[in-house]
Amino acid sequence: MTMSIKWAALAQTAGASFVITVATVAVFALGILALSRREAAQEAAGAGAGGSGRANLALAGASVCFAACASVVGYGLYLIAG
């Protein structure tokens, strides 16, 4: 019995892995950016410029980004374990 490699399937898997990895890193970077904007909004609110609503919105955005990253990692672990 000879073994053959399905190159098209291998290329699709590698391509999908690359795209998902880049997307996950980009979403994580957006979460970090949202946290830094939250700090800036809190500093502005402390100086009397009124940025409390923006700080809360930035925190919500960061939470969504990090939750999306965690779900991608969790799904990957589910695929590996299952």
Side-chain angles (χ1 to χ4, degrees):
M1 177 189 268
T2 61
M3 222 164 74
S4 65
I5 297 175
K6 295 181 182 179
W7 292 104
L10 180 63
Q12 285 178 342
T13 302
S17 297
F18 180 76
V19 168
I20 291 170
T21 300
V22 169
T24 303
V25 169
V27 170
F28 188 82
L30 285 174
I32 297 294
L33 177 65
L35 284 180
S36 69
R37 297 243 171 129
R38 175 182 181 245
E39 287 183 19
Q42 284 180 334
E43 289 176 6
S52 171
R54 286 187 179 175
N56 291 338
L57 184 61
L59 180 61
S63 299
V64 168
C65 289
F66 295 141
C69 290
S71 67
V72 168
V73 169
Y75 184 64
L77 290 173
Y78 168 77
L79 288 176
I80 291 170

